[in-house]
Amino acid sequence: MSKPCPARRRKTSTALRQAQGEQFGRATVARVAFIGLGNMGGGMAANLASKGDSVRAFDLSADALARAKDAGCDVAGSAAEAVKDAEAVVTMLPAGKHVREVYESAVFGNAPTTAILIDCSTIDVATAREVEEAAQANGLTMVDAPVSGGIAAAEGGTLTFMVGGSEDGFARAKPHLEKMGKAVIHAGGAGAGQAAKICNNMLLGASMAATCEAFVLAQKLGLDPQTFFDISSQASGQCWSMTSYCPVPGVGPQTPADRGYDGGFAAALMLKDLRLAMEAAKSVDSYTPMGAEAEELYTRFEQLGGGGKDFSALIKMIDDSWQAAGETAPPPPGYRMPG
């Protein structure tokens, strides 16, 4: 399980949660099992509890469980215990192998067949489809619902959910997801949520790399970063990585670049998503040269120790200022620095 997020809410009793839930209507208060309380899952579970749901949470980390308890969740001794009598089961796990293991060993056979299963992990499309088929074979309805928005959105309840599964599964999952996000979109059948997520993040990874390159080149050509931002953010080069998540400190809205590239979306997670995209592209024989180049850049950055930094810190490798183990990082193989 991934590192737990800090607690943001004081402990709330089950009775008080139910009383709070009256403002949302009795029908929306649910018994929810939440498995996986890391940086993303911890905030998501806390949001469900704050909306009045009775959340029974489980994670392998004792610290994560303690934070969940402080945030108003009840803690379970195992995943199997968490899902008993649940109306909805939400999972947020690191990889496909963890999703498969949890559902096969703990959810199937323990969760009621009336429960809606919602996997919010970002995993490969093939595994998502296989687990959803296994759920159906066990008499359960399941959707894949990966998220976009990062830690801040998870804690603030403003995530975007891309949902794959049947129309009925989407309709049943939507009320639960709406308590944790600002947008819940049905992407299509089983695995479609994962497909949308990895395609979106491949585009994000490639556009961030290009944005970093553009800022470095502009500066080497004598342009002030703020001046370049003022021009490009209103010209044809405008993109989200430029205007909303600028990789240059002190330019544009506040971003992780202003905090030493701490917080935000870790470069290691971006690399994970890029690898998933490349695996998917290979499986359907799709030509993705920009995605492949982005994967190579983030692989190099992780090898240099940048995996824990925000993915926009890639600019430090591109401008040759990244330091790993006290040494300046060389550029990636075959990469020609501008200037």
Side-chain angles (χ1 to χ4, degrees), residues 8-339:
R8 296 168 49 257
R9 301 169 176 81
R10 63 182 178 83
K11 183 177 179 181
T12 309
S13 69
T14 300
L16 181 55
R17 286 200 305 274
Q18 292 172 343
Q20 290 173 329
E22 295 294 337
Q23 62 182 304
F24 301 100
R26 288 184 182 274
T28 68
V29 178
R31 297 186 304 276
V32 181
F34 205 110
I35 304 170
L37 305 168
N39 286 330
M40 297 292 291
M44 293 165 66
N47 269 299
L48 289 174
S50 75
K51 301 293 173 60
D53 283 351
S54 175
V55 181
R56 187 181 296 170
F58 177 73
D59 193 281
L60 294 177
S61 166
D63 288 341
L65 288 174
R67 286 176 171 80
K69 186 175 182 179
D70 287 341
C73 302
D74 297 318
V75 299
S78 67
E81 179 186 332
V83 304
K84 289 187 181 297
D85 301 321
E87 297 172 48
V89 176
V90 183
T91 49
M92 182 56 115
L93 301 163
K97 63 180 181 179
H98 304 107
V99 171
R100 187 190 301 276
E101 179 183 355
V102 165
Y103 278 90
E104 290 181 351
S105 67
V107 179
F108 301 154
N110 289 299
T113 55
T114 53
I116 178 67
L117 311 182
I118 307 171
D119 180 40
C120 295
S121 319
T122 297
I123 63 174
D124 61 286
V125 176
T127 297
R129 288 174 175 165
E130 289 167 6
V131 176
E132 288 179 51
E133 288 172 2
Q136 186 175 13
N138 280 273
L140 292 148
T141 301
M142 182 176 180
V143 299
D144 52 288
V147 307
S148 178
I151 297 172
E155 295 180 352
T158 57
L159 291 166
T160 293
F161 291 90
M162 296 154 267
V163 187
S166 66
E167 291 283 355
D168 174 65
F170 174 71
R172 293 174 59 191
K174 188 176 181 181
H176 302 286
L177 297 175
E178 285 179 331
K179 294 179 182 180
M180 301 180 283
K182 65 178 181 180
V184 182
I185 303 166
H186 192 199
Q194 299 295 347
K197 172 65 183 287
I198 61 177
C199 289
N200 177 79
N201 279 23
M202 182 182 72
L203 179 59
L204 175 59
S207 66
M208 177 57 77
T211 299
C212 291
E213 290 183 2
F215 269 105
V216 172
L217 177 58
Q219 189 166 6
K220 286 180 176 287
L221 292 173
L223 283 173
D224 175 73
Q226 183 64 56
T227 300
F228 176 60
F229 175 87
D230 292 342
I231 294 170
S232 191
S233 64
Q234 301 183 67
S236 56
Q238 185 275 335
C239 63
W240 187 87
S241 295
M242 163 76 69
T243 57
S244 298
Y245 215 83
C246 185
V248 179
V251 177
Q254 189 175 55
T255 67
D258 299 304
R259 304 188 296 272
Y261 301 95
D262 290 325
F265 185 57
L269 295 178
M270 172 54 76
L271 178 57
K272 170 195 168 184
D273 290 355
L274 287 168
R275 286 173 173 165
L276 288 173
M278 293 305 98
E279 290 173 9
K282 183 178 180 179
S283 72
V284 294
D285 194 26
S286 182
Y287 183 47
T288 54
M290 297 300 291
E293 181 65 19
E295 181 198 13
E296 180 183 348
L297 288 169
Y298 279 99
T299 296
R300 176 69 170 170
F301 190 46
E302 184 179 56
Q303 290 171 346
L304 293 170
K309 290 292 187 178
D310 182 75
F311 78 110
S312 63
L314 184 71
I315 195 171
K316 304 297 287 181
M317 185 181 79
I318 290 174
D319 70 9
D320 206 21
S321 66
W322 174 257
Q323 302 238 332
E327 297 192 6
T328 301
Y335 183 84
R336 183 179 178 183
M337 296 301 297

